[in-house]
Amino acid sequence: MKILIKIIMLCGLIIASAHAENTPVTEEKTPAKSAAQALDRDAVCTRCHDENESKPILSIYQTAHGNKADSRTPSCQTCHGESDAHIKGDPKQTVRPSPDFTFAEKSKTYQPSPAEARNGQCLTCHESGLQMHWTGSQHQSQGVACNSCHTVHSPNDKVLAKTTQPEVCFTCHKSQRAESHLFSTHPILAGKTSCSDCHNPHGSTGPKLLVKNSTNETCYTCHAEKRGPFLWEHSPVFDDCSNCHTPHGSNNSPLLKQRVPWLCQECHTVVHAAQVDSGANLIGGDVTTIFGQQPPAALDPRSQANARACLNCHSMIHGSNHPAGAQFVR
Amino acid sequence: MNNKHITFAVCRTVAIAAGALFSLFAFQAVAQPPVAEDSELTELTQPKSKIEAGVGGVTDSNWKFGQYNGLNKSGAYGIGNFDIRGGGAYDSNDATRWRITGNNIGLESRSFTGEYKDQGKYKLNFGYDEIPRFLNNSFRTPYLGTGSADLALPGNWQYPINNNMRTLPASDLPDFHAVDMGTKRERIDGGFSYFFNPQWEGQASMRHENKNGTQALGAPIMGANPRQAVILPNPIAQSTDQINASMKFTGDKGFGQFAYYGSLFHNDINGVTFQNPFSAGGVVPAFGRMSSAPDNQFHQFSLTGGYNFSPATKLVTNGAYARNWQNQDFLPYNTSASGGGVLPTSNLNGDVETKAINLKLTHKVNKDLNFASAYKYDERENHTPINQYTFADADSKGAATNFRSNTPYSKRIHQGNLDANYSFAQGHWLKAGYELQNIDRWCNGTWISCADTPTTTEHTGRLDYRGTFFDKLDSKLGYAYSHRTADNYNQDNALWSKLPTEAALYNQIVATGLPAWGPALPWAAPGDALNQAVFPNNNPASIDGDINGLRRFNTANRDRQKVNSYVDYQVTNKLSMGLGGEFRYDNYPNSNFGLQSSRNWGINLDSSYAFNEDTSAQLFYSYQDILSKSAGMTYGIGTNLNTNAGSTTPGSVVGGCYNTVRAINNTAKTDPCRNWFTDMSDNINTVGLGVKHRGFLNGKLDLNSDFIYSFARTLIGVTGGQYVQSPTGTAANGPFFFIPAANMPTVKTETFQVKLDAKYIINKPSAVHLIYMFQHLFSSDYIYTGMQPAGTPQSVMPTFEQAPTYSIHAVGLSYIYNF
């Protein structure tokens, strides 16, 4: 607790010093003046990159970045750099020198600037909020650029819509692409659960870029009924949901890493959990017939191997609040 | 949604939406700024709006086809989508922007969003979302009152002979009726943000979600046979409210945020009572009662700050503190008037405290070298009081033979990371990393350890390479190795690892000072009963009585190796290809029983070809192979070993294995006839092909096609076996047969989908949209055999569920208006 208090004080000191030192002194601008000035700056670029451009770059004016009445919005050169050499051109060359910062990863004319350089341009404005933990994050350290996922000039940025976001992520995360087509899944392909419901690709304090501090806290945002605390807790549940579940897709409902009862038998060897469960215990199996010599009705296919297996009885497996539910049967 | 697919509700929804849209058109007409003279410029810079309306149809009903999209029934559906945007022109002094969207208006998966903002000053947003989750609608139940918390049998219910659900009276079968299984979430979101000035922003949002429906739930009930169970149509009526509020600061060198997150879960249903279908009562309970998830609440405060000491050095810190409470009144122990005693407390008074601290310091030495170091502290400390609970099994009318104390689990993580990234050549990077993770697990206030090990420690080393060759080929290769150790794993059980004589064993147990059965009950006297006493399921001296050599995988010693790699090659301007692979192997070297190892590997092949600016194709193939190996032993179990003595009749055990528990115990519990092994594997093949073409028919027709094929198999191989007493023999003398284990039937799931999408542009604002989809699912799963009357175990009520298999066509025709 004392350490927590000191950390909170440190955060406060950082905020205070940043604020005190860096309170910006800005010229009071009316929106009209700002928009006009911003458009004048854009004209440096748009006198060439106009509506006749093969790529619809002017569609940026439909987006938040192109809302010139907001004095915060960038001009072309805010992101792409002053690009003096590109503007002046070189009569000796057929192709103009590259702008200072080039973002297109599949341009036929220019190589994209290094990912870090491109990201630096975006981070001049987008360093807080969702991007607080970007520096040192998994994507940043793997050389992913902001525009690897975002299409800033487009009014329909695919990664910002639930229905189209997964296909952007699947560009790199191909195992998850295959898993999303399995029998048991979250409603990812139905456009009801997007990758960013669980993950913050810009960086986070949680494992595997999860939006919360831990796997369980992330799962509880949709599955709050599992939070508890319960009278009888099942230890692997409160340890980590991913002990038993695989969230992107599985052939074993519901999103289980292995089937019951064998999943349960990885941890339990008590009384009937010790029993071997195999095809011999299914209806018509050798346990029920003893090599076909006894009528099947005389013996009993083992309930732990059939249908819902252990969950036929131990159904409150995430925890029970019933005073007689110590074995998760109530 | 009922059988009349274009329902009044849907029509009403569409009418309301249309009315709203007409109003917006009027508003749009007023609010729209003057159209710029240059139509091409206008086309690029003015926000685009779209309304789509039409009708679609599905050829067959299947819950799995429509599981999340709402197309679970055959018939016609309304198509309704809109995306309407407006506000000030980009070059005006009006920074307002607004947008409303609606998707799948005619389906049970409909959603709406709305946003209004004066950019840079404030923003308001709202949302409404319906998320259906249809479940197996071949589920049958005899229970009446589905949807309520009281489930009763029909008046003509005949109890099964000898409590055997496999011999249900014929007159009972018509009582099994279909139930609409599934749930639906309805979410309402609302939020706002406000800029006090360019540096300070306040935000608040709230989500209210209702989740209602019916799900299958196993429910045991005591009877003539031990642990009989029914599968209930369990009602779901829950709501969750989530609140987020924050104040953010952004400066030139630093930023910070103070935030609150609250979650309040409420369950309308406290418990579900169900009538005993096995027998009428008397010595067995007439009714059973299952509990439901209790109400809970969670409140978290967090403070985050970041500061750039220089362009090269940055520190980000985060601290969070939360409390989680649950004090729902307990249900009684038992539905029987005589069963159970006095509850030690009326509710749990559950109280969990979580704390988190995260620190990350990054430093860039120069353009080629940078470092990142991080520390993470995450603690869940459970302060829930401990009490003793005395109860009978599953609403039994018998004596309360269970004596348990609750075990409130706590966990603490300390984790440190150090990473270095070095570019040894232009476009080539090496990354090395080290991670140390320490996890403590404990229970506050328990008289014996509740955790298998108090501490696990894991060291991880990583080495990654990524590089670009000739500006055309991107590559990556990474390797990580982790070694986890468990401190004094299940030390209590370690005492019994080598068994001396029976008397010495007894003295050894007593010498530990541990009470055997709990704080109130004494040790059993030495003798034959002691052997049984070593592994009873509630003997805390041996931690739930698990056999020596079991280690639970989440806390066991483990060696983990991970490899991942990819190569992406831009062969030509038109053709790109990619090949990627990943491999992960977990080995549990100290685990004689339980999970032994786990292996997961996969390969991915991708290719895309741009025929021209208007035509492109993508092809991919993925293969994933998952294998988990487990081991166990059927100690003490077997019809010849129900008593400690077992059978001493010579030759009564076929196969020559040990006759008695004592004989097994005296050989350190090794009995090859009872050891078993399981290999569980999943093999998944996925193929995808997509082709797009724009501009057929003089630029008026755009076509998209997608094809997906997925084939997954789950194979469970089992070796070992068990003893079965001949029904004509005796428990004392047998004969007993050794039945070798057999592999489980392969579980197969095959999905094939073709989707064709055509959009024909009639004129600038108008287009016609045609969608066709064919989806085929084949599912073969042995679990459904056990749900049929002829396949169910004696003690489990059948549910008649069938594996979903279908071939379904869906088509939709709609008109799109753009403006």
Side-chain angles (χ1 to χ4, degrees):
Chain A
M1 192 62 187
K2 287 183 181 176
I3 297 174
L4 180 64
I5 292 171
K6 287 178 183 172
I7 295 299
I8 292 171
M9 291 172 63
L10 176 62
C11 292
L13 187 64
I14 290 170
I15 295 169
S17 58
H19 179 65
E21 182 180 338
N22 298 296
T23 305
V25 177
T26 56
E27 177 188 334
E28 190 70 26
K29 291 182 182 177
T30 63
K33 210 173 183 181
S34 172
Q37 285 180 338
L39 286 170
D40 284 342
R41 273 182 64 80
D42 285 355
V44 172
C45 307
T46 58
R47 64 189 172 94
C48 292
H49 297 287
D50 59 11
E51 61 270 23
N52 298 312
E53 187 80 12
S54 60
K55 300 283 185 186
I57 60 172
L58 294 185
S59 59
I60 195 171
Y61 289 120
Q62 297 183 46
T63 74
H65 285 116
N67 186 343
K68 295 303 177 184
D70 180 355
S71 60
R72 303 170 305 157
T73 56
S75 68
C76 309
Q77 289 163 302
T78 307
C79 300
H80 292 280
E82 293 299 319
S83 306
D84 289 335
H86 178 76
I87 293 169
K88 288 176 187 168
D90 185 345
K92 297 176 188 172
Q93 296 182 18
T94 54
V95 177
R96 285 175 179 264
S98 165
D100 293 347
F101 298 94
T102 311
F103 289 81
E105 291 184 334
K106 292 189 176 180
S107 168
K108 296 176 186 175
T109 313
Y110 302 117
Q111 287 299 318
S113 301
E116 191 180 352
R118 287 181 264 160
N119 295 346
Q121 296 301 96
C122 305
L123 288 169
T124 54
C125 296
H126 298 286
E127 194 179 21
S128 60
L130 284 177
Q131 295 81 18
M132 276 189 287
H133 302 282
W134 170 256
T135 306
S137 68
Q138 284 92 318
H139 281 142
Q140 186 268 331
S141 65
Q142 293 295 329
V144 178
C146 304
N147 68 306
S148 299
C149 304
H150 290 282
T151 48
V152 174
H153 280 258
S154 170
N156 298 303
D157 191 356
K158 280 187 177 180
V159 79
L160 297 181
K162 267 188 192 285
T163 50
T164 51
Q165 184 187 93
E167 71 183 75
V168 177
C169 306
F170 291 160
T171 307
C172 295
H173 297 283
K174 293 162 186 175
S175 296
Q176 288 74 15
R177 176 182 62 186
E179 288 169 358
S180 67
H181 291 281
L182 290 175
F183 185 84
S184 177
T185 63
H186 279 115
I188 299 170
L189 298 181
K192 291 297 179 179
T193 304
S194 59
C195 309
S196 59
D197 283 334
C198 300
H199 298 278
N200 182 355
H202 308 103
S204 78
T205 57
K208 299 194 183 293
L209 293 176
L210 293 175
V211 293
K212 297 290 187 181
N213 279 326
S214 67
T215 303
N216 283 35
E217 276 192 37
T218 302
C219 301
Y220 295 153
T221 57
C222 288
H223 301 284
E225 74 278 5
K226 309 283 190 302
R227 190 191 294 275
F230 295 92
L231 171 60
W232 309 107
E233 293 193 327
H234 191 197
S235 63
V237 172
F238 296 94
D239 190 69
D240 193 324
C241 303
S242 63
N243 280 329
C244 299
H245 291 285
T246 175
H248 301 110
S250 172
N251 207 29
N252 308 305
S253 294
L255 288 171
L256 293 177
K257 286 183 167 175
Q258 289 96 31
R259 300 214 138 197
V260 292
W262 302 280
L263 174 64
C264 312
Q265 290 178 307
E266 288 177 356
C267 292
H268 295 286
T269 59
V270 178
V271 287
H272 51 268
Q275 272 274 45
V276 62
D277 291 299
S278 77
N281 301 108
L282 298 176
I283 180 64
D286 285 339
V287 169
T288 64
T289 62
I290 305 211
F291 309 117
Q293 294 174 17
Q294 298 291 336
L299 294 171
D300 185 14
R302 206 167 112 78
S303 58
Q304 289 81 5
N306 282 267
R308 290 175 168 82
C310 313
L311 301 173
N312 285 327
C313 292
H314 300 280
S315 53
M316 303 298 287
I317 204 60
H318 296 102
S320 171
N321 208 52
H322 194 295
Q327 295 167 312
F328 311 116
V329 297
R330 276 289 175 268
Chain B
M1 205 169 195
N2 60 29
N3 288 330
K4 193 173 182 183
H5 305 298
I6 307 287
T7 64
F8 174 74
V10 170
C11 290
R12 182 178 60 189
T13 305
V14 172
I16 291 170
L21 293 174
F22 274 120
S23 321
L24 284 164
F25 288 151
F27 178 79
Q28 177 77 358
V30 171
Q32 193 74 19
V35 176
E37 290 182 1
D38 189 330
S39 62
E40 285 185 9
L41 182 65
T42 304
E43 183 69 20
L44 286 168
T45 58
Q46 295 293 335
K48 303 292 178 296
S49 298
K50 179 182 84 170
I51 297 174
E52 181 177 12
V55 66
V58 175
T59 55
D60 290 284
S61 300
N62 196 283
W63 67 271
K64 187 60 181 169
F65 177 75
Q67 184 170 35
Y68 293 122
N69 61 24
L71 296 171
N72 59 314
K73 302 270 192 204
S74 63
Y77 293 88
I79 295 175
N81 302 293
F82 62 85
D83 182 355
I84 301 173
R85 313 182 192 198
Y90 76 96
D91 55 353
S92 73
N93 59 359
D94 183 1
T96 59
R97 295 286 185 276
W98 58 265
R99 183 181 183 186
I100 57 169
T101 70
N103 287 294
N104 298 324
I105 297 172
L107 303 178
E108 287 195 67
S109 55
R110 61 184 62 89
S111 63
F112 300 94
T113 64
E115 177 184 290
Y116 183 89
K117 63 182 177 182
D118 189 344
Q119 189 169 313
K121 291 183 182 170
Y122 66 86
K123 183 168 86 172
L124 301 165
N125 60 273
F126 79 88
Y128 173 77
D129 197 8
E130 293 183 12
I131 306 174
R133 184 183 175 218
F134 295 103
L135 297 172
N136 200 323
N137 65 354
S138 54
F139 181 95
R140 301 280 187 274
T141 181
Y143 284 106
L144 305 173
T146 305
S148 76
D150 292 289
L151 300 173
L153 293 165
N156 65 341
W157 180 258
Q158 298 291 316
Y159 294 96
I161 301 165
N162 296 325
N163 287 255
N164 185 344
M165 278 289 169
R166 297 183 61 216
T167 55
L168 273 173
S171 61
D172 282 344
L173 296 179
D175 288 332
F176 283 81
H177 58 274
V179 175
D180 278 338
M181 300 295 279
T183 59
K184 188 168 180 182
R185 296 177 187 243
E186 293 177 329
R187 289 178 176 170
I188 299 173
D189 290 291
F192 77 89
S193 63
Y194 182 78
F195 280 93
F196 296 93
N197 56 48
Q199 287 76 44
W200 289 93
E201 180 186 2
Q203 288 182 330
S205 65
M206 185 185 164
R207 166 175 288 176
H208 175 77
E209 177 184 282
N210 288 327
K211 181 180 173 185
N212 294 289
T214 308
Q215 282 181 316
L217 181 73
I221 188 161
M222 290 304 291
N225 295 326
R227 296 304 174 107
Q228 299 162 161
V230 300
I231 309 299
L232 300 176
N234 190 49
I236 306 292
Q238 301 168 355
S239 67
T240 307
D241 290 295
Q242 296 182 73
I243 303 160
N244 283 282
S246 65
M247 187 66 76
K248 289 199 301 186
F249 167 78
T250 307
D252 285 345
K253 277 198 155 190
F255 57 84
Q257 175 174 292
F258 177 72
Y260 163 77
Y261 169 74
S263 169
L264 300 117
F265 170 78
H266 172 69
N267 195 341
D268 283 344
I269 295 170
N270 196 25
V272 177
T273 305
F274 61 99
Q275 191 172 348
N276 188 343
F278 290 92
S279 54
V283 297
V284 297
F287 290 91
R289 181 164 47 216
M290 296 294 290
S291 68
S292 296
D295 294 358
N296 67 65
Q297 50 180 298
F298 177 83
H299 304 276
Q300 183 181 60
F301 294 91
S302 64
L303 187 63
T304 307
Y307 188 74
N308 291 298
F309 294 98
S310 70
T313 307
K314 182 174 178 178
L315 174 68
V316 180
T317 65
N318 164 263
Y321 178 81
R323 298 298 283 265
N324 168 207
W325 293 299
Q326 189 275 98
N327 56 4
Q328 178 103 9
D329 283 343
F330 285 139
L331 292 169
Y333 276 124
N334 200 299
T335 56
S336 307
S338 60
V342 177
L343 288 166
T345 176
S346 61
N347 68 66
L348 181 66
N349 272 317
D351 180 7
V352 175
E353 184 184 31
T354 64
K355 295 172 231 171
I357 295 169
N358 294 278
L359 303 169
K360 185 159 64 177
L361 179 67
T362 54
H363 176 64
K364 188 175 172 183
V365 177
N366 52 47
K367 69 175 179 62
D368 295 324
L369 178 63
N370 58 71
F371 291 98
S373 60
Y375 169 72
K376 180 183 180 74
Y377 171 83
D378 189 26
E379 180 182 281
R380 174 194 192 250
E381 185 165 15
N382 197 332
H383 299 288
T384 300
I386 294 173
N387 288 288
Q388 282 75 50
Y389 297 81
T390 308
F391 55 91
D393 285 331
D395 292 305
S396 167
K397 289 182 177 179
T401 56
N402 292 286
F403 182 84
R404 297 284 185 127
S405 299
N406 57 313
T407 48
Y409 290 103
S410 296
K411 177 182 175 183
R412 180 189 301 122
I413 299 174
H414 291 278
Q415 180 176 307
N417 291 75
L418 185 62
D419 293 289
N421 241 328
Y422 176 62
S423 175
F424 59 91
Q426 174 80 11
H428 297 268
W429 290 86
L430 264 182
K431 179 181 174 183
Y434 170 73
E435 178 182 293
L436 173 63
Q437 186 185 72
N438 208 66
I439 301 179
D440 300 320
R441 296 176 175 88
W442 75 100
C443 290
N444 288 323
T446 51
W447 63 276
I448 194 170
S449 171
C450 67
D452 294 311
T453 175
T455 302
T456 59
T457 303
E458 187 166 26
H459 302 266
T460 302
R462 295 189 188 89
L463 193 62
D464 287 311
Y465 159 79
R466 62 182 169 90
T468 302
F469 297 87
F470 315 115
D471 296 328
K472 284 190 165 205
L473 193 149
D474 293 325
S475 62
K476 180 192 163 178
L477 179 63
Y479 175 77
Y481 173 75
S482 302
H483 177 68
R484 183 172 75 193
T485 53
D487 182 41
N488 284 332
Y489 187 95
N490 206 345
Q491 188 59 34
D492 298 325
N493 243 3
L495 290 171
W496 330 131
S497 59
K498 291 181 182 177
L499 297 178
T501 62
E502 193 174 296
L505 171 63
Y506 181 80
N507 293 333
Q508 199 175 45
I509 294 171
V510 173
T512 64
L514 293 171
W517 296 95
L521 299 176
W523 280 103
D528 286 343
L530 180 61
N531 274 291
Q532 198 72 304
V534 175
F535 298 119
N537 67 340
N538 59 348
N539 182 346
S542 56
I543 311 291
D544 287 336
D546 285 302
I547 50 177
N548 285 325
L550 169 76
R551 295 213 169 191
R552 294 189 171 87
F553 63 87
N554 61 320
T555 54
N557 289 44
R558 181 185 70 189
D559 291 318
R560 166 174 282 183
Q561 299 188 67
K562 286 167 80 168
V563 178
N564 62 76
S565 65
Y566 71 74
V567 174
D568 286 332
Y569 183 39
Q570 188 74 37
V571 181
T572 66
N573 283 340
K574 291 175 180 282
L575 175 66
S576 69
M577 302 187 74
L579 172 65
E582 49 198 23
F583 173 85
R584 190 176 86 179
Y585 180 67
D586 291 346
N587 185 40
Y588 300 87
N590 295 58
S591 302
N592 295 328
F593 298 107
L595 185 63
Q596 306 284 289
S597 67
S598 174
R599 186 194 72 203
N600 185 337
W601 68 270
I603 58 169
N604 300 289
L605 295 167
D606 281 76
S607 177
S608 68
Y609 189 78
F611 295 91
N612 49 51
E613 275 195 10
D614 297 322
T615 309
S616 63
Q618 295 83 36
L619 176 68
F620 76 85
Y621 170 72
S622 291
Y623 177 74
Q624 195 171 9
D625 191 296
I626 305 167
L627 174 64
S628 299
K629 292 175 176 277
S630 285
M633 185 176 72
T634 59
Y635 76 90
I637 300 296
T639 52
N640 62 324
L641 298 171
N642 280 341
T643 65
N644 289 316
S647 167
T648 55
T649 304
S652 64
V653 176
V654 178
C657 298
Y658 295 114
N659 286 7
T660 65
V661 172
R662 186 189 317 198
I664 297 172
N665 287 350
N666 288 342
T667 54
K669 294 177 182 53
T670 55
D671 181 356
C673 292
R674 291 180 176 79
N675 287 348
W676 55 261
F677 302 91
T678 304
D679 287 357
M680 297 166 281
S681 68
D682 285 286
N683 304 328
I684 303 154
N685 289 275
T686 313
V687 178
L689 172 66
V691 180
K692 295 181 185 179
H693 180 77
R694 293 181 311 174
F696 275 126
L697 302 180
N698 293 324
K700 284 183 173 287
L701 180 63
D702 295 339
L703 293 175
N704 289 309
S705 61
D706 288 297
F707 162 83
I708 292 279
Y709 175 75
S710 171
F711 180 47
R713 296 188 310 162
T714 299
L715 301 103
I716 301 167
V718 189
T719 54
Q722 66 189 96
Y723 286 98
V724 175
Q725 176 200 327
S726 166
T728 58
T730 65
N733 299 315
F736 308 102
F737 294 90
F738 178 75
I739 306 292
N743 295 339
M744 300 297 285
T746 302
V747 177
K748 296 177 191 172
T749 307
E750 187 181 48
T751 308
F752 171 80
Q753 177 178 296
V754 172
K755 192 173 174 184
L756 302 174
D757 186 307
K759 190 163 83 172
Y760 181 77
I761 301 168
I762 300 169
N763 50 41
K764 194 173 174 185
S766 301
V768 173
H769 189 199
L770 176 68
I771 294 179
Y772 167 77
M773 181 168 71
F774 171 73
Q775 191 175 93
H776 165 76
L777 171 69
F778 170 75
S779 173
S780 169
D781 195 330
Y782 65 84
I783 65 169
Y784 294 100
T785 307
M787 298 176 185
Q788 312 309 313
T792 187
Q794 293 181 13
S795 56
V796 180
M797 177 186 274
T799 58
F800 295 78
E801 290 164 273
Q802 305 290 328
T805 294
Y806 59 79
S807 295
I808 292 180
H809 303 264
V811 64
L813 181 66
S814 58
Y815 170 76
I816 298 175
Y817 180 73
N818 297 293
F819 58 97

